């Protein structure tokens, strides 16, 4: 009878072991930092809520200011500069902006106090909720959140053009079910200042610049986009067509076709995109995926044509693109005009159905 030699596990190489231990330490530090951030944010909300409800609400402004000054002087002496007058005011604003503690509890799992400092100045509750939900879902850094706010991302979404009840419902779906809708993803206009296009250019130049700057283009497209193909060949009745760009959106679970156009939107673009979408639906869509969507990017839009063509029913989104970022005031005015047009259209539809 032969006796097997007992196998002895060889110890891990020193470098590999050191790497494993470093990973454990870093992961623990991140969890600890996250827990501390959550506790601090919750503490600041509770302080703000206490001051707001017991001192400021229903009292004279000068009385409330005097109380805050007195509180800050004592708290700074005992606990440091985190409880200065400026920060106490922020805590009060925080509690006023988020009166529901349950919402705060859900947000502090993913957002830091510095995130909330960026969100507090936003006056529109739906706008603020959008940025909070997207920052959490997409794990935006504070810097990214500020950049998105500065670029008026919310105002550029298709969601912002909808009735307030619909916006609130879609944001609740994002918060509770972590499910995105096309309105959360689609934008107008798209800002493509990173492409470096100057003076005049052809569609092929635009396409080449997008391929060259694909990472930045994906960020501008929005959450969940993955590049699939350039000049996707589509063969129908022995005739070849070529789709400019094809993407897949992981959040929406559907293919997204993108056509690039120079000049204003033309009604003929609808038929072309519908053809592409139906071909993709028949030949490329997987069983678990939703029907493909189309984005037509133009340098201008004829809004009445777009409205009459009812492109949204075909899953087609028409948007302008800007190759240079306009001053914030100019962009804000442009988006405000678009919002007003959308409001009037909604009111007209409601009148037509009555």
């Amino acid at each position: 009878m032969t006796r097997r030699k007992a196998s002895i596990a060889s110890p891990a190489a020193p470098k590999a072991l050191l790497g494993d231990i470093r990973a454990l330490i870093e992961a623990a530090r991140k969890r600890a930092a996250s827990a501390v951030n959550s506790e601090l944010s919750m503490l600041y909300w509770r302080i703000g809520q206490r001051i707001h409800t017991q001192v400021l609400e229903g009292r004279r402004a000068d009385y409330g200011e005097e109380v805050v000054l007195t509180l800050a002087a004592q708290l700074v002496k005992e606990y440091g500069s985190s409880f200065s007058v400026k920060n106490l005011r922020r805590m009060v604003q925080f509690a006023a902006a988020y009166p529901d503690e349950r919402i705060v509890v859900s947000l502090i799992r993913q957002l830091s106090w510095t995130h909330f400092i960026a969100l507090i100045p936003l006056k529109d509750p739906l706008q603020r909720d959008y940025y909070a939900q997207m920052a959490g879902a997409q794990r935006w850094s504070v810097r990214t959140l500020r950049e998105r706010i500065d670029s008026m991302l919310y105002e550029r979404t298709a969601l912002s053009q909808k009735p307030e009840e619909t916006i609130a419902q879609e944001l609740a779906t994002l918060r509770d079910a972590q499910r995105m809708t096309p309105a959360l993803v689609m934008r107008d206009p798209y800002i493509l200042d990173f492409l470096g296009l100057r003076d005049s250019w052809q569609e092929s130049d635009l396409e080449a610049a997008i391929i060259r700057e694909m990472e930045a283009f994906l960020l501008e497209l929005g959450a969940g986009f993955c590049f699939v193909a350039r000049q996707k060949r589509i063969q129908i009745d022995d005739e070849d067509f070529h789709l400019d760009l094809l993407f897949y959106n992981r959040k929406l679970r559907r293919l997204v076709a993108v056509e690039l156009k120079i000049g204003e939107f033309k009604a003929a673009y609808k038929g072309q995109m519908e053809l592409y979408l139906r071909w993709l639906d028949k030949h490329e869509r997987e069983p678990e995926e939703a029907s493909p969507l189309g984005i037509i990017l133009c340098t201008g839009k004829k809004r009445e044509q777009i409205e009459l063509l009812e492109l949204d029913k075909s899953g087609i989104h028409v948007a302008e693109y800007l190759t240079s970022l306009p001053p914030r005031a100019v962009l804000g005015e442009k988006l405000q005009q678009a919002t007003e047009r959308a409001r009037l259209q909604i009111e007209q539809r409601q009148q037509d159905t009555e």
Side-chain angles (χ1 to χ4, degrees):
M1 181 177 179
T2 59
R3 298 178 65 185
R4 295 181 180 175
K5 293 181 180 180
S7 60
I8 301 174
S10 59
K15 285 187 178 179
L17 181 59
L18 178 60
D20 290 344
I21 292 173
R22 280 175 174 162
L24 290 172
I25 293 170
E26 291 299 324
R29 282 180 172 176
K30 285 180 181 178
R31 288 194 298 271
S34 177
V36 169
N37 269 324
S38 295
E39 284 295 325
L40 278 177
S41 296
M42 199 70 243
L43 170 65
Y44 294 158
W45 182 86
R46 286 176 176 148
I47 291 172
Q49 196 263 352
R50 191 76 175 267
I51 296 172
H52 182 65
T53 56
Q54 294 194 11
V55 178
L56 301 182
E57 205 169 64
R59 302 293 185 94
R60 299 190 319 274
D62 55 349
Y63 170 79
E65 184 66 18
E66 183 181 338
V67 172
V68 170
L69 287 170
T70 304
L71 281 171
Q74 190 62 41
L75 291 172
V76 167
K77 188 185 299 182
E78 295 182 33
Y79 299 105
S81 60
S82 296
F83 299 92
S84 65
V85 172
K86 182 179 180 180
N87 283 338
L88 285 186
R89 287 177 183 147
R90 279 176 173 164
M91 294 173 202
V92 172
Q93 292 168 351
F94 182 29
Y98 295 96
D100 189 338
E101 184 174 356
R102 294 170 298 177
I103 299 298
V104 177
V105 169
S106 68
L107 289 175
I108 61 175
R109 296 170 188 157
Q110 297 168 310
L111 303 182
S112 68
W113 172 238
T114 318
H115 282 97
F116 288 115
I117 290 174
L119 292 167
I120 288 168
L122 301 176
K123 302 302 181 185
D124 181 354
L126 293 173
Q127 176 194 30
R128 188 169 56 240
D129 191 21
Y130 167 83
Y131 284 116
Q133 296 302 328
M134 292 297 290
Q138 299 301 305
R139 301 188 182 281
W140 288 347
S141 66
V142 176
R143 179 180 176 180
T144 300
L145 171 60
R146 292 187 186 278
E147 288 174 350
R148 297 293 187 267
I149 293 172
D150 288 343
S151 72
M152 304 186 75
L153 177 60
Y154 169 73
E155 292 87 343
R156 293 192 288 123
T157 62
L159 180 71
S160 68
Q161 307 298 317
K162 293 180 177 291
E164 289 189 0
E165 297 80 6
T166 305
I167 297 174
Q169 185 178 10
E170 294 206 19
L171 289 174
T173 300
L174 175 61
R175 181 177 60 247
D176 300 334
Q178 294 296 298
R179 189 172 71 248
M180 285 199 178
T181 63
L184 280 161
V185 174
M186 300 301 185
R187 303 174 183 177
D188 183 24
Y190 288 86
I191 298 174
L192 309 182
D193 56 329
F194 52 84
L195 297 181
L197 294 170
R198 298 289 182 271
D199 301 323
S200 60
W201 63 87
Q202 302 297 318
E203 288 177 6
S204 58
D205 300 324
L206 176 61
E207 183 181 316
I210 288 172
I211 296 299
R212 185 178 64 248
E213 302 292 341
M214 182 56 72
E215 183 178 357
F217 185 68
L218 288 172
L219 288 174
E220 176 59 16
L221 276 181
F225 277 92
C226 308
F227 177 63
V228 176
R230 173 190 188 184
Q231 290 297 307
K232 171 72 175 177
R233 184 188 177 199
I234 294 175
Q235 193 172 40
I236 305 172
D237 293 331
D238 298 324
E239 186 176 353
D240 283 347
F241 300 86
H242 292 88
L243 169 64
D244 288 340
L245 299 168
L246 181 62
F247 296 88
Y248 180 75
N249 189 284
R250 294 171 56 243
K251 301 293 183 181
L252 301 178
R253 296 184 181 178
R254 54 177 65 183
L255 291 165
V256 181
V258 176
E259 276 290 290
L260 308 171
K261 304 296 182 183
I262 292 178
E264 292 193 334
F265 171 81
K266 295 181 174 58
Y269 297 161
K270 177 190 178 185
Q272 180 188 33
M273 181 58 83
E274 283 181 331
L275 184 68
Y276 293 166
L277 293 181
R278 288 175 183 174
W279 186 91
L280 290 169
D281 190 69
K282 181 178 179 179
H283 297 285
E284 296 286 334
R285 181 168 70 94
E286 297 293 336
E288 70 278 4
E289 294 174 358
S291 297
L293 294 175
I295 301 176
I296 302 174
L297 291 179
C298 308
T299 49
K301 291 170 63 174
K302 294 182 176 178
R303 299 184 183 279
E304 189 174 359
Q305 284 190 24
I306 292 169
E307 183 184 353
L308 291 171
L309 288 169
E310 297 184 326
L311 295 173
D312 53 332
K313 293 182 179 180
S314 302
I316 299 172
H317 177 66
V318 178
E320 291 178 284
Y321 63 90
L322 306 176
T323 55
S324 61
L325 181 62
R328 185 178 174 84
V330 174
L331 180 59
E333 184 179 354
K334 181 183 180 72
L335 294 171
Q336 189 174 4
Q337 290 171 356
T339 301
E340 181 62 20
R341 282 193 296 267
R343 185 185 64 80
L344 292 173
Q345 289 173 8
I346 291 167
E347 290 178 355
Q348 185 61 49
R349 287 172 189 167
Q350 289 173 342
Q351 291 174 5
D352 292 342
T353 55
E354 290 176 356

